[in-house]
PDB file of all heavy atoms in Angstrom:
ATOM      1  N   LYS A   1      25.054   3.301 -51.270  1.00  0.00           N
ATOM      2  CA  LYS A   1      24.470   3.335 -49.929  1.00  0.00           C
ATOM      3  C   LYS A   1      22.946   3.190 -49.984  1.00  0.00           C
ATOM      4  O   LYS A   1      22.354   2.528 -49.129  1.00  0.00           O
ATOM      5  CB  LYS A   1      24.852   4.646 -49.230  1.00  0.00           C
ATOM      6  CG  LYS A   1      26.296   4.679 -48.774  1.00  0.00           C
ATOM      7  CD  LYS A   1      26.638   6.003 -48.103  1.00  0.00           C
ATOM      8  CE  LYS A   1      28.071   6.000 -47.593  1.00  0.00           C
ATOM      9  NZ  LYS A   1      28.460   7.303 -46.998  1.00  0.00           N
ATOM     10  N   GLN A   2      22.313   3.798 -50.988  1.00  0.00           N
ATOM     11  CA  GLN A   2      20.863   3.671 -51.087  1.00  0.00           C
ATOM     12  C   GLN A   2      20.477   2.245 -51.449  1.00  0.00           C
ATOM     13  O   GLN A   2      19.494   1.699 -50.923  1.00  0.00           O
ATOM     14  CB  GLN A   2      20.319   4.654 -52.123  1.00  0.00           C
ATOM     15  CG  GLN A   2      18.807   4.707 -52.199  1.00  0.00           C
ATOM     16  CD  GLN A   2      18.154   5.071 -50.883  1.00  0.00           C
ATOM     17  OE1 GLN A   2      17.950   4.222 -50.026  1.00  0.00           O
ATOM     18  NE2 GLN A   2      17.813   6.343 -50.723  1.00  0.00           N
ATOM     19  N   ALA A   3      21.224   1.633 -52.348  1.00  0.00           N
ATOM     20  CA  ALA A   3      20.945   0.236 -52.707  1.00  0.00           C
ATOM     21  C   ALA A   3      21.081  -0.657 -51.474  1.00  0.00           C
ATOM     22  O   ALA A   3      20.234  -1.539 -51.231  1.00  0.00           O
ATOM     23  CB  ALA A   3      21.883  -0.220 -53.821  1.00  0.00           C
ATOM     24  N   ALA A   4      22.138  -0.442 -50.693  1.00  0.00           N
ATOM     25  CA  ALA A   4      22.341  -1.247 -49.480  1.00  0.00           C
ATOM     26  C   ALA A   4      21.203  -1.021 -48.491  1.00  0.00           C
ATOM     27  O   ALA A   4      20.731  -1.962 -47.836  1.00  0.00           O
ATOM     28  CB  ALA A   4      23.680  -0.896 -48.855  1.00  0.00           C
ATOM     29  N   ARG A   5      20.754   0.218 -48.376  1.00  0.00           N
ATOM     30  CA  ARG A   5      19.643   0.533 -47.469  1.00  0.00           C
ATOM     31  C   ARG A   5      18.379  -0.191 -47.905  1.00  0.00           C
ATOM     32  O   ARG A   5      17.661  -0.770 -47.076  1.00  0.00           O
ATOM     33  CB  ARG A   5      19.433   2.055 -47.474  1.00  0.00           C
ATOM     34  CG  ARG A   5      18.418   2.568 -46.469  1.00  0.00           C
ATOM     35  CD  ARG A   5      18.294   4.070 -46.595  1.00  0.00           C
ATOM     36  NE  ARG A   5      17.366   4.635 -45.636  1.00  0.00           N
ATOM     37  CZ  ARG A   5      16.838   5.841 -45.729  1.00  0.00           C
ATOM     38  NH1 ARG A   5      17.141   6.608 -46.751  1.00  0.00           N
ATOM     39  NH2 ARG A   5      16.009   6.297 -44.823  1.00  0.00           N
ATOM     40  N   TRP A   6      18.086  -0.167 -49.192  1.00  0.00           N
ATOM     41  CA  TRP A   6      16.891  -0.844 -49.693  1.00  0.00           C
ATOM     42  C   TRP A   6      16.997  -2.358 -49.563  1.00  0.00           C
ATOM     43  O   TRP A   6      15.998  -3.038 -49.310  1.00  0.00           O
ATOM     44  CB  TRP A   6      16.642  -0.453 -51.145  1.00  0.00           C
ATOM     45  CG  TRP A   6      16.078   0.935 -51.290  1.00  0.00           C
ATOM     46  CD1 TRP A   6      15.380   1.647 -50.364  1.00  0.00           C
ATOM     47  CD2 TRP A   6      16.171   1.772 -52.448  1.00  0.00           C
ATOM     48  NE1 TRP A   6      15.034   2.890 -50.857  1.00  0.00           N
ATOM     49  CE2 TRP A   6      15.500   2.995 -52.134  1.00  0.00           C
ATOM     50  CE3 TRP A   6      16.747   1.635 -53.709  1.00  0.00           C
ATOM     51  CZ2 TRP A   6      15.402   4.051 -53.043  1.00  0.00           C
ATOM     52  CZ3 TRP A   6      16.648   2.682 -54.605  1.00  0.00           C
ATOM     53  CH2 TRP A   6      15.981   3.880 -54.279  1.00  0.00           C
ATOM     54  N   LEU A   7      18.193  -2.900 -49.729  1.00  0.00           N
ATOM     55  CA  LEU A   7      18.378  -4.341 -49.543  1.00  0.00           C
ATOM     56  C   LEU A   7      18.031  -4.752 -48.112  1.00  0.00           C
ATOM     57  O   LEU A   7      17.467  -5.820 -47.880  1.00  0.00           O
ATOM     58  CB  LEU A   7      19.825  -4.734 -49.858  1.00  0.00           C
ATOM     59  CG  LEU A   7      20.207  -4.815 -51.333  1.00  0.00           C
ATOM     60  CD1 LEU A   7      21.717  -4.875 -51.481  1.00  0.00           C
ATOM     61  CD2 LEU A   7      19.568  -6.036 -51.990  1.00  0.00           C
ATOM     62  N   THR A   8      18.349  -3.885 -47.173  1.00  0.00           N
ATOM     63  CA  THR A   8      18.106  -4.174 -45.761  1.00  0.00           C
ATOM     64  C   THR A   8      16.666  -3.912 -45.355  1.00  0.00           C
ATOM     65  O   THR A   8      16.072  -4.679 -44.597  1.00  0.00           O
ATOM     66  CB  THR A   8      19.043  -3.319 -44.886  1.00  0.00           C
ATOM     67  OG1 THR A   8      20.398  -3.615 -45.231  1.00  0.00           O
ATOM     68  CG2 THR A   8      18.826  -3.597 -43.413  1.00  0.00           C
ATOM     69  N   GLN A   9      16.075  -2.829 -45.876  1.00  0.00           N
ATOM     70  CA  GLN A   9      14.805  -2.340 -45.346  1.00  0.00           C
ATOM     71  C   GLN A   9      13.585  -2.681 -46.188  1.00  0.00           C
ATOM     72  O   GLN A   9      12.463  -2.431 -45.745  1.00  0.00           O
ATOM     73  CB  GLN A   9      14.883  -0.817 -45.174  1.00  0.00           C
ATOM     74  CG  GLN A   9      15.947  -0.379 -44.191  1.00  0.00           C
ATOM     75  CD  GLN A   9      16.032   1.127 -44.044  1.00  0.00           C
ATOM     76  OE1 GLN A   9      15.302   1.884 -44.692  1.00  0.00           O
ATOM     77  NE2 GLN A   9      16.928   1.592 -43.194  1.00  0.00           N
ATOM     78  N   THR A  10      13.749  -3.201 -47.394  1.00  0.00           N
ATOM     79  CA  THR A  10      12.605  -3.472 -48.255  1.00  0.00           C
ATOM     80  C   THR A  10      12.644  -4.901 -48.778  1.00  0.00           C
ATOM     81  O   THR A  10      13.639  -5.614 -48.636  1.00  0.00           O
ATOM     82  CB  THR A  10      12.577  -2.516 -49.476  1.00  0.00           C
ATOM     83  OG1 THR A  10      13.565  -2.937 -50.442  1.00  0.00           O
ATOM     84  CG2 THR A  10      12.848  -1.084 -49.063  1.00  0.00           C
ATOM     85  N   GLU A  11      11.531  -5.294 -49.395  1.00  0.00           N
ATOM     86  CA  GLU A  11      11.437  -6.599 -50.050  1.00  0.00           C
ATOM     87  C   GLU A  11      11.544  -6.463 -51.574  1.00  0.00           C
ATOM     88  O   GLU A  11      11.224  -7.402 -52.307  1.00  0.00           O
ATOM     89  CB  GLU A  11      10.097  -7.258 -49.692  1.00  0.00           C
ATOM     90  CG  GLU A  11       9.895  -7.509 -48.204  1.00  0.00           C
ATOM     91  CD  GLU A  11      10.883  -8.531 -47.652  1.00  0.00           C
ATOM     92  OE1 GLU A  11      11.352  -9.376 -48.444  1.00  0.00           O
ATOM     93  OE2 GLU A  11      11.180  -8.470 -46.445  1.00  0.00           O
ATOM     94  N   LEU A  12      11.969  -5.305 -52.061  1.00  0.00           N
ATOM     95  CA  LEU A  12      12.077  -5.097 -53.499  1.00  0.00           C
ATOM     96  C   LEU A  12      12.992  -6.142 -54.133  1.00  0.00           C
ATOM     97  O   LEU A  12      14.047  -6.473 -53.577  1.00  0.00           O
ATOM     98  CB  LEU A  12      12.655  -3.711 -53.795  1.00  0.00           C
ATOM     99  CG  LEU A  12      11.760  -2.499 -53.551  1.00  0.00           C
ATOM    100  CD1 LEU A  12      12.578  -1.213 -53.694  1.00  0.00           C
ATOM    101  CD2 LEU A  12      10.598  -2.496 -54.536  1.00  0.00           C
ATOM    102  N   PRO A  13      12.617  -6.680 -55.299  1.00  0.00           N
ATOM    103  CA  PRO A  13      13.531  -7.565 -56.017  1.00  0.00           C
ATOM    104  C   PRO A  13      14.846  -6.837 -56.295  1.00  0.00           C
ATOM    105  O   PRO A  13      14.850  -5.617 -56.535  1.00  0.00           O
ATOM    106  CB  PRO A  13      12.789  -7.872 -57.318  1.00  0.00           C
ATOM    107  CG  PRO A  13      11.347  -7.613 -57.005  1.00  0.00           C
ATOM    108  CD  PRO A  13      11.338  -6.494 -56.007  1.00  0.00           C
ATOM    109  N   ILE A  14      15.939  -7.551 -56.277  1.00  0.00           N
ATOM    110  CA  ILE A  14      17.244  -6.917 -56.444  1.00  0.00           C
ATOM    111  C   ILE A  14      17.337  -6.200 -57.784  1.00  0.00           C
ATOM    112  O   ILE A  14      17.902  -5.104 -57.876  1.00  0.00           O
ATOM    113  CB  ILE A  14      18.364  -7.956 -56.295  1.00  0.00           C
ATOM    114  CG1 ILE A  14      18.393  -8.471 -54.851  1.00  0.00           C
ATOM    115  CG2 ILE A  14      19.720  -7.357 -56.662  1.00  0.00           C
ATOM    116  CD1 ILE A  14      19.368  -9.600 -54.602  1.00  0.00           C
ATOM    117  N   SER A  15      16.753  -6.769 -58.823  1.00  0.00           N
ATOM    118  CA  SER A  15      16.819  -6.125 -60.135  1.00  0.00           C
ATOM    119  C   SER A  15      16.098  -4.780 -60.128  1.00  0.00           C
ATOM    120  O   SER A  15      16.568  -3.806 -60.726  1.00  0.00           O
ATOM    121  CB  SER A  15      16.207  -7.033 -61.201  1.00  0.00           C
ATOM    122  OG  SER A  15      14.858  -7.358 -60.872  1.00  0.00           O
ATOM    123  N   GLU A  16      14.970  -4.691 -59.401  1.00  0.00           N
ATOM    124  CA  GLU A  16      14.209  -3.444 -59.352  1.00  0.00           C
ATOM    125  C   GLU A  16      14.912  -2.385 -58.520  1.00  0.00           C
ATOM    126  O   GLU A  16      14.999  -1.214 -58.921  1.00  0.00           O
ATOM    127  CB  GLU A  16      12.810  -3.694 -58.789  1.00  0.00           C
ATOM    128  CG  GLU A  16      11.948  -2.428 -58.749  1.00  0.00           C
ATOM    129  CD  GLU A  16      10.544  -2.669 -58.235  1.00  0.00           C
ATOM    130  OE1 GLU A  16      10.128  -3.847 -58.140  1.00  0.00           O
ATOM    131  OE2 GLU A  16       9.855  -1.685 -57.924  1.00  0.00           O
ATOM    132  N   LEU A  17      15.418  -2.751 -57.359  1.00  0.00           N
ATOM    133  CA  LEU A  17      16.083  -1.752 -56.529  1.00  0.00           C
ATOM    134  C   LEU A  17      17.388  -1.294 -57.171  1.00  0.00           C
ATOM    135  O   LEU A  17      17.803  -0.135 -56.994  1.00  0.00           O
ATOM    136  CB  LEU A  17      16.283  -2.240 -55.099  1.00  0.00           C
ATOM    137  CG  LEU A  17      17.257  -3.379 -54.787  1.00  0.00           C
ATOM    138  CD1 LEU A  17      18.687  -2.897 -54.660  1.00  0.00           C
ATOM    139  CD2 LEU A  17      16.823  -4.051 -53.464  1.00  0.00           C
ATOM    140  N   ALA A  18      18.041  -2.188 -57.947  1.00  0.00           N
ATOM    141  CA  ALA A  18      19.241  -1.772 -58.675  1.00  0.00           C
ATOM    142  C   ALA A  18      18.900  -0.662 -59.662  1.00  0.00           C
ATOM    143  O   ALA A  18      19.594   0.354 -59.749  1.00  0.00           O
ATOM    144  CB  ALA A  18      19.855  -2.964 -59.405  1.00  0.00           C
ATOM    145  N   TYR A  19      17.805  -0.846 -60.383  1.00  0.00           N
ATOM    146  CA  TYR A  19      17.365   0.167 -61.342  1.00  0.00           C
ATOM    147  C   TYR A  19      16.994   1.466 -60.632  1.00  0.00           C
ATOM    148  O   TYR A  19      17.387   2.560 -61.055  1.00  0.00           O
ATOM    149  CB  TYR A  19      16.172  -0.362 -62.141  1.00  0.00           C
ATOM    150  CG  TYR A  19      15.587   0.637 -63.107  1.00  0.00           C
ATOM    151  CD1 TYR A  19      16.216   0.934 -64.302  1.00  0.00           C
ATOM    152  CD2 TYR A  19      14.404   1.301 -62.797  1.00  0.00           C
ATOM    153  CE1 TYR A  19      15.688   1.871 -65.181  1.00  0.00           C
ATOM    154  CE2 TYR A  19      13.855   2.241 -63.665  1.00  0.00           C
ATOM    155  CZ  TYR A  19      14.505   2.512 -64.856  1.00  0.00           C
ATOM    156  OH  TYR A  19      13.977   3.446 -65.717  1.00  0.00           O
ATOM    157  N   ARG A  20      16.267   1.359 -59.523  1.00  0.00           N
ATOM    158  CA  ARG A  20      15.858   2.560 -58.784  1.00  0.00           C
ATOM    159  C   ARG A  20      17.058   3.319 -58.231  1.00  0.00           C
ATOM    160  O   ARG A  20      17.021   4.546 -58.085  1.00  0.00           O
ATOM    161  CB  ARG A  20      14.931   2.184 -57.631  1.00  0.00           C
ATOM    162  CG  ARG A  20      13.560   1.708 -58.057  1.00  0.00           C
ATOM    163  CD  ARG A  20      12.652   1.588 -56.845  1.00  0.00           C
ATOM    164  NE  ARG A  20      11.343   1.061 -57.176  1.00  0.00           N
ATOM    165  CZ  ARG A  20      10.321   0.997 -56.338  1.00  0.00           C
ATOM    166  NH1 ARG A  20      10.478   1.427 -55.092  1.00  0.00           N
ATOM    167  NH2 ARG A  20       9.158   0.504 -56.713  1.00  0.00           N
ATOM    168  N   ALA A  21      18.106   2.594 -57.900  1.00  0.00           N
ATOM    169  CA  ALA A  21      19.298   3.232 -57.348  1.00  0.00           C
ATOM    170  C   ALA A  21      20.207   3.812 -58.422  1.00  0.00           C
ATOM    171  O   ALA A  21      21.205   4.460 -58.098  1.00  0.00           O
ATOM    172  CB  ALA A  21      20.079   2.236 -56.492  1.00  0.00           C
ATOM    173  N   GLY A  22      19.873   3.586 -59.696  1.00  0.00           N
ATOM    174  CA  GLY A  22      20.646   4.200 -60.767  1.00  0.00           C
ATOM    175  C   GLY A  22      21.580   3.271 -61.506  1.00  0.00           C
ATOM    176  O   GLY A  22      22.406   3.735 -62.310  1.00  0.00           O
ATOM    177  N   TYR A  23      21.470   1.957 -61.264  1.00  0.00           N
ATOM    178  CA  TYR A  23      22.319   0.993 -61.970  1.00  0.00           C
ATOM    179  C   TYR A  23      21.595   0.500 -63.221  1.00  0.00           C
ATOM    180  O   TYR A  23      20.361   0.385 -63.239  1.00  0.00           O
ATOM    181  CB  TYR A  23      22.668  -0.182 -61.052  1.00  0.00           C
ATOM    182  CG  TYR A  23      23.513   0.237 -59.869  1.00  0.00           C
ATOM    183  CD1 TYR A  23      22.925   0.573 -58.663  1.00  0.00           C
ATOM    184  CD2 TYR A  23      24.896   0.323 -59.984  1.00  0.00           C
ATOM    185  CE1 TYR A  23      23.689   0.984 -57.579  1.00  0.00           C
ATOM    186  CE2 TYR A  23      25.677   0.728 -58.908  1.00  0.00           C
ATOM    187  CZ  TYR A  23      25.064   1.063 -57.713  1.00  0.00           C
ATOM    188  OH  TYR A  23      25.827   1.479 -56.646  1.00  0.00           O
ATOM    189  N   SER A  24      22.360   0.187 -64.245  1.00  0.00           N
ATOM    190  CA  SER A  24      21.759  -0.238 -65.516  1.00  0.00           C
ATOM    191  C   SER A  24      21.046  -1.574 -65.382  1.00  0.00           C
ATOM    192  O   SER A  24      20.045  -1.820 -66.052  1.00  0.00           O
ATOM    193  CB  SER A  24      22.838  -0.325 -66.609  1.00  0.00           C
ATOM    194  OG  SER A  24      23.887  -1.208 -66.207  1.00  0.00           O
TER     195      SER A  24
END
């Protein structure tokens, strides 16, 4: 849910937001 929220609300690169959300 946090990754989906960041995908919608931020311009973070997908690789960075994946890491921030706890994905390898």
Side-chain angles (χ1 to χ4, degrees):
K1 286 179 177 177
Q2 186 58 277
R5 186 181 182 197
W6 285 336
L7 283 166
T8 301
Q9 298 179 359
T10 76
E11 299 295 334
L12 288 171
I14 293 174
S15 58
E16 182 178 347
L17 68 83
Y19 177 76
R20 290 190 183 188
Y23 295 93
S24 57

